Amino acid sequence: MAALLRAPLSSGIQFASRVSDVESIDTPFGKSMIVINDRLMKRSRSLTAGLIVRGSDQSKHGHVAKASQESDIQPTTLADSKLAGRGQCIDGLEVLKNRFYKFKESDYLANSDYYKKLAQGQDPKYFIVACCDSRVCPTKILGIQPGEAFTVRNIANLVPPYEHGPSETTSALEFAASLPLIRDILIIGHSKCGGINALMQNDGDFGERIKGWLSVAKSARLTTKAAYGYMNFDKQCQHCEMESVNSSLLNLLTYPWIEKKVNEGKLNLHGGYYNFIDCSFEYWTLDYRQELEGGSKYGFKNHSVWR
């Protein structure tokens, strides 16, 4: 254990430098938890990280070593603040429990009539496709409330064409067809997308499932390389992040029920791009003109940037 506690992790997390810097406490899950003492906690604002290591007591649980990582994240509840003030690491599930109770008291109970209505059924107005990236939270950045948006998240916020076959995204789109109040589908791309970075590298260092999924956006990669291949790699990725949104918007039209509603004026398809570097949001709408031929069927309108 002493050797383990001295070893730095590649992620930048540093374990305590000696065994005397930690102490063991019991957890509600029956495990031992190693907690960094007050002196180390005061030296670094801490985001806790856990590491499971096998114990020698033949138990099923082993031990959990808790480490500190430099972070600007602050405790978000009074209970979190009290634990941090005592120099104790905060268990991840304890943080979520505290946040749930805060939500229940300040939101759910304060708006009980609204949540009782939601319990009877949902009538969302938006369908949103967003990335799995933890930095991109549609409900946070767009202020979407419970019941307002039917949401699916996947790697690189992609929509495969209809003929691609079953996936969580295609099944969500099919289910959303039964929700009559949805009039807007919004696909949200974002800056520094790891999925698009992998797509642009195209170097085969990723698993088959990831490569297979990213192939949905291969046309966006080819378009980007053809138009912006003279730019540096980061700029190419930024263009591809937006181009992949447009590619997914066109893929939406391969779904018969979506194309039908768009033609009838009952559904609008929108692209969005959230740049979390400068906190801006770019927005545009697909203009689909079925009566025209070829590429002239497709255009974009209502382009704006929210800063």
Side-chain angles (χ1 to χ4, degrees), residues 74-281:
Q74 298 295 321
T76 56
T77 67
L78 179 60
D80 292 351
S81 299
K82 288 180 178 179
L83 286 172
R86 292 200 299 266
Q88 289 183 283
C89 288
I90 308 168
D91 179 80
L93 290 180
E94 190 72 16
V95 170
L96 297 183
K97 183 181 80 172
N98 292 338
R99 292 177 184 177
F100 170 75
Y101 285 135
K102 182 181 179 181
F103 156 75
K104 185 173 183 178
E105 181 179 356
S106 64
D107 193 339
Y108 186 91
L109 295 178
N111 301 281
S112 58
D113 289 343
Y114 178 73
Y115 284 101
K116 285 178 181 177
K117 183 179 178 181
L118 283 184
Q120 304 307 311
Q122 62 171 332
D123 290 306
K125 298 177 178 62
Y126 311 102
F127 184 100
I128 292 178
V129 180
C131 186
C132 294
D133 193 303
S134 62
R135 299 165 293 182
V136 182
C137 184
T139 56
K140 186 74 171 179
I141 63 178
L142 297 177
I144 295 170
Q145 300 303 307
E148 286 189 328
F150 198 80
T151 305
V152 61
R153 299 180 69 169
N154 61 48
I155 297 296
N157 44 267
L158 302 179
V159 174
Y162 179 69
E163 60 270 17
H164 187 268
S167 72
E168 79 290 338
T169 304
T170 55
S171 61
L173 286 167
E174 185 170 335
F175 182 82
S178 67
L179 303 173
L181 295 187
I182 292 180
R183 293 188 58 87
D184 297 279
I185 297 179
L186 173 61
I187 301 175
I188 304 175
H190 68 94
S191 55
K192 301 293 183 182
C193 180
I196 297 300
N197 184 286
L199 172 70
M200 291 297 292
Q201 289 187 57
N202 197 33
D203 60 4
D205 287 342
F206 305 94
E208 290 301 318
R209 288 182 175 84
I210 294 177
K211 289 191 290 185
W213 175 251
L214 292 177
S215 68
V216 169
K218 62 183 179 183
S219 63
R221 176 181 180 273
L222 294 174
T223 299
T224 299
K225 288 291 187 182
Y228 304 104
Y230 63 92
M231 293 185 172
N232 65 45
F233 182 74
D234 288 342
K235 287 291 185 182
Q236 289 182 45
C237 286
Q238 185 175 9
H239 282 287
C240 191
E241 287 160 359
M242 294 187 179
E243 188 59 39
S244 68
V245 172
N246 291 334
S247 176
S248 287
L249 287 173
L250 296 182
N251 284 343
L252 283 172
L253 291 172
T254 66
Y255 294 78
W257 61 90
I258 291 179
E259 184 186 27
K260 181 175 183 293
K261 286 189 174 183
V262 170
N263 286 327
E264 293 172 347
K266 297 179 180 178
L267 185 64
N268 301 300
L269 308 182
H270 311 280
Y273 182 78
Y274 171 51
N275 188 331
F276 50 66
I277 298 172
D278 63 4
C279 194
S280 63
F281 194 95

